[in-house]
């Protein structure tokens, strides 16, 4: 079978045949037919805007791989910092590389005192932590004179290190501010996830880091580290294509993630479960969703038309956490919702399955995080994916500044009318 596609412009009879590689053909074919021809593709449903070697996703089969490694294996055998190294560098680290990487990240966790005392203290007392995280990420770049030096590999590496190392510190700082609690400095003797939990929850000397909970946190970080060209990552790439510094680009990506249809869904799931209240109310809720009165949050995905593999792993992990913390009372409602939806033709025919956000909120809540922190918990590990895509884009000679075309539907040319004649 020929691996080509032939496109005929019926207006002119002109035709062009181009190769299909990796399931894609180059849009140069359309320009060859007619340079003014546009493909109308809102939300990029059929458009591959880049080549990428970072994450592979097969939504029909429910497959997710980072740099070729199945997410299930990484979740079981790896840890977040090793996965971060893999995403950024393409290979798992050797012993020596791992040691250096951990040392470097650990020694970049501090943030400038002015960030906390002057910048964060300026927020209103009830500011949403995700709004604070977005702003603090952009502000962080202003503390480094080399932030904009993205051409030098060493400099970009340093900004990457800073953003990955400082994201948990910023996140914890935003939380402590909103709770009126004193800031806890990073502790270099703890690993990435334990240090984050310590900065979040330590009150005086009274916080023991439970290894089961730290492992669950680390696992959630692994599962959220990258997910190819989602809305936030696409935002990162678009902003990076203008050669904005990585702090500004990451702040833009985090803003996209904040949306309830994207990373904000984990927060929305808990509000939904609380609103449903008990399993008896599940059928009525499902009937409302089917009648178009709201969505079943944590269900459905642009790419997965099968169970999201991350949701499978998270669901299992939830039980380990609940053994330590006690069961989250909303779990029964979530299980009943899932069971009901997966038997219902509305969800089955549309291939709507639980996504990563359906069960993650239940674990976050059991770990002690307030609902407003959930999207921040998504942003911390996703910082790694964003930065891997940022670097990949800069190295890709096919890329230029992003600039989609439009289909103009406004009025044609007309003359200005003076205000007294309108
Ligand atoms: N509940 C009820 N109906 C739904 C849902 C849902 N969660 N998701 C999609 N549908 C319906 C939708 O109404 C449409 O039906 P119809 O064909 O009759 O109009 C059909 O399914 C296709 O939906 P769509 O909106 O065209 O699908 P999409 O690919 O544009 O949207 C989505 C993907 C994730 C935005 C959507 O499924 C959704 O809103 N889900 C709930 C929010 C959510 O959980 N988001 C987290 C996504 S995973 C984490 C992340 O990537 O950030």
């Amino acid at each position: 079978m020929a691996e080509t596609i032939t496109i005929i412009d019926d207006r002119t009879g002109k035709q062009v045949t181009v190769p299909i590689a990796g399931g894609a053909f180059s849009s140069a074919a359309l320009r060859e037919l007619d340079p003014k021809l546009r493909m109308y593709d809102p939300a990029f449903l059929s458009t591959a805007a880049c080549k990428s070697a970072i994450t592979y996703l097969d939504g029909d089969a429910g497959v997710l791989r980072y740099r070729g490694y199945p997410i299930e294996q990484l979740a079981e055998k790896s840890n977040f910092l090793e996965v971060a190294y893999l995403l950024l560098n393409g290979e798992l680290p050797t012993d020596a590389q791992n040691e250096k990487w951990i040392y470097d990240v650990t020694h970049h966790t501090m943030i400038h005192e002015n960030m906390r005392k002057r910048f964060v203290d300026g927020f209103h007392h009830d500011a949403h932590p995700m709004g604070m995280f977005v702003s603090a990420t952009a502000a962080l770049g202003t503390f480094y004179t080399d932030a904009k030096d993205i051409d030098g590999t060493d400099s970009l590496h340093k900004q990457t290190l800073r953003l990955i190392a400082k994201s948990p510190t910023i996140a914890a700082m935003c939380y402590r501010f909103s709770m009126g609690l004193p800031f806890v400095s990073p502790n270099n003797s703890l690993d990435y996830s334990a240090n984050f939990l310590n900065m979040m929850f330590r009150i005086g000397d009274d916080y023991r880091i439970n290894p089961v909970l730290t492992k669950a946190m680390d696992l959630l970080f692994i599962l959220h580290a990258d997910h190819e060209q989602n809305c936030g990552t696409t935002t990162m790439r678009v902003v990076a294509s203008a050669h904005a510094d990585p702090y500004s680009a990451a702040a833009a990506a985090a803003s996209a993630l904040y949306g309830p249809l994207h990373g904000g869904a984990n927060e929305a799931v808990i509000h939904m479960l609380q609103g449903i209240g008990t399993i008896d109310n599940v059928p009525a809720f499902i009937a409302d969703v089917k009648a178009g009165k709201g969505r079943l949050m944590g269900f459905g995905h642009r790419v997965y038309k099968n169970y999201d593999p991350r949701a499978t792993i998270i669901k299992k992990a939830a039980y380990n956490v609940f053994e330590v913390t006690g069961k989250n009372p909303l779990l029964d409602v979530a299980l009943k919702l899932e069971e009901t939806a997966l038997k219902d033709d509305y969800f089955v025919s549309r291939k709507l399955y639980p996504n990563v956000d359906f069960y993650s909120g239940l674990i976050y809540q059991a770990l002690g995080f307030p609902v407003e922190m959930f999207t921040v918990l998504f942003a911390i590990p996703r910082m790694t994916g964003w930065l891997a895509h940022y670097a990949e884009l800069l190295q890709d000679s096919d890329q230029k500044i992003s600039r989609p075309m439009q289909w103009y539907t406004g009025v044609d040319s007309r003359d200005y009318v003076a205000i007294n004649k309108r």
Side-chain angles (χ1 to χ4, degrees), residues 61-135:
V63 169
L64 172 62
R65 296 182 203 129
Y66 294 163
R67 301 285 190 184
Y69 293 102
I71 193 68
E72 293 78 6
Q73 288 183 27
L74 293 170
E76 191 192 331
K77 299 178 182 168
S78 188
N79 59 70
F80 173 68
L81 276 192
E82 187 180 59
V83 166
Y85 185 98
L86 171 70
L87 286 167
L88 292 163
N89 298 286
E91 296 297 336
L92 287 166
T94 61
D95 244 349
Q97 287 165 335
N98 197 35
E99 206 176 305
K100 178 167 181 350
W101 172 236
I102 292 172
Y103 180 90
D104 286 348
V105 173
T106 307
H107 289 84
H108 280 85
T109 46
M110 290 280 189
I111 49 172
H112 196 287
E113 272 293 278
N114 281 355
M115 268 292 280
R116 183 171 63 86
K117 289 205 176 128
R118 307 186 77 113
F119 183 78
V120 172
D121 278 1
F123 281 103
H124 198 253
H125 66 90
D126 57 359
H128 193 288
M130 192 57 191
M132 295 168 77
F133 183 86
V134 165
S135 322

Side-chain angles (χ1 to χ4, degrees), residues 216-366:
M217 190 75 256
D218 203 70
L219 173 75
L220 287 159
F221 282 170
I222 293 174
L223 298 178
H224 288 86
D226 193 47
H227 210 237
E228 54 118 303
Q229 312 308 320
N230 54 80
C231 182
T233 304
T234 299
T235 306
M236 184 81 178
R237 280 180 167 268
V238 169
V239 180
S241 79
H243 289 190
D245 69 77
Y247 302 88
S248 308
S255 305
L257 189 72
Y258 195 1
L261 295 188
H262 193 9
N266 47 23
E267 189 175 335
V269 167
I270 295 296
H271 290 310
M272 175 187 75
L273 295 175
Q274 283 166 338
I276 296 170
T278 68
I279 55 172
D280 300 339
N281 297 329
V282 166
F285 177 81
I286 291 284
D288 279 352
V289 169
K290 287 164 63 177
K293 296 183 204 154
R295 289 198 160 193
L296 174 49
M297 299 309 285
F299 257 65
H301 199 276
R302 170 60 57 78
V303 185
Y304 291 120
K305 300 302 166 199
N306 200 325
Y307 218 105
D308 180 337
R310 300 168 300 173
T312 315
I313 299 168
I314 290 178
K315 191 174 168 185
K316 258 197 230 149
Y319 288 98
N320 297 338
V321 171
F322 297 158
E323 266 180 34
V324 176
T325 62
K327 195 174 81 176
N328 186 324
L330 295 174
L331 176 68
D332 290 336
V333 181
L335 289 170
K336 185 72 185 166
L337 261 182
E338 181 189 338
E339 184 197 314
T340 312
L342 294 183
K343 277 196 214 141
D344 192 305
D345 188 54
Y346 175 95
F347 298 91
V348 174
S349 63
R350 289 170 177 77
K351 299 188 176 166
L352 301 171
Y353 291 86
N355 61 47
V356 68
D357 291 319
F358 193 66
Y359 286 105
S360 63
L362 293 175
I363 303 192
Y364 292 149
Q365 225 181 17

Side-chain angles (χ1 to χ4, degrees), residues 24-244:
F25 69 93
S26 167
S27 66
L30 298 178
R31 291 196 290 281
E32 209 179 298
L33 277 181
D34 175 354
K36 290 207 166 139
L37 204 56
R38 311 263 178 274
M39 217 176 72
Y40 179 57
D41 188 15
F44 313 119
L45 290 175
S46 306
T47 299
C50 63
K51 289 179 186 160
S52 182
I54 300 170
T55 289
Y56 174 79
L57 214 167
D58 179 341
D60 292 325
V63 169
L64 172 62
R65 296 182 203 129
Y66 294 163
R67 301 285 190 184
Y69 293 102
I71 193 68
E72 293 78 6
Q73 288 183 27
L74 293 170
E76 191 192 331
K77 299 178 182 168
S78 188
N79 59 70
F80 173 68
L81 276 192
E82 187 180 59
V83 166
Y85 185 98
L86 171 70
L87 286 167
L88 292 163
N89 298 286
E91 296 297 336
L92 287 166
T94 61
D95 244 349
Q97 287 165 335
N98 197 35
E99 206 176 305
K100 178 167 181 350
W101 172 236
I102 292 172
Y103 180 90
D104 286 348
V105 173
T106 307
H107 289 84
H108 280 85
T109 46
M110 290 280 189
I111 49 172
H112 196 287
E113 272 293 278
N114 281 355
M115 268 292 280
R116 183 171 63 86
K117 289 205 176 128
R118 307 186 77 113
F119 183 78
V120 172
D121 278 1
F123 281 103
H124 198 253
H125 66 90
D126 57 359
H128 193 288
M130 192 57 191
M132 295 168 77
F133 183 86
V134 165
S135 322
T137 301
L140 189 65
T142 66
F143 285 82
Y144 302 108
T145 50
D146 55 356
K148 289 184 170 55
D149 178 11
I150 56 168
D151 295 330
T153 316
D154 284 353
S155 168
L156 186 56
H157 176 69
K158 202 191 279 174
Q159 314 316 324
T160 300
L161 205 52
R162 284 174 176 151
L163 275 162
I164 291 174
K166 293 178 206 305
S167 287
T169 316
I170 290 176
M173 187 179 63
C174 296
Y175 166 74
R176 306 277 304 194
F177 171 81
S178 61
M179 298 298 287
L181 290 168
F183 180 60
V184 175
S185 293
N187 181 334
N188 288 359
S189 70
L190 298 173
D191 69 31
Y192 193 83
S193 300
N195 177 46
F196 173 57
L197 290 176
N198 187 57
M199 288 190 293
M200 282 287 303
F201 298 123
R202 173 169 288 278
I203 307 275
D205 289 335
D206 188 21
Y207 182 63
R208 273 188 221 312
I209 298 167
N210 184 305
V212 175
L213 304 189
T214 309
K215 179 129 189 51
M217 190 75 256
D218 203 70
L219 173 75
L220 287 159
F221 282 170
I222 293 174
L223 298 178
H224 288 86
D226 193 47
H227 210 237
E228 54 118 303
Q229 312 308 320
N230 54 80
C231 182
T233 304
T234 299
T235 306
M236 184 81 178
R237 280 180 167 268
V238 169
V239 180
S241 79
H243 289 190

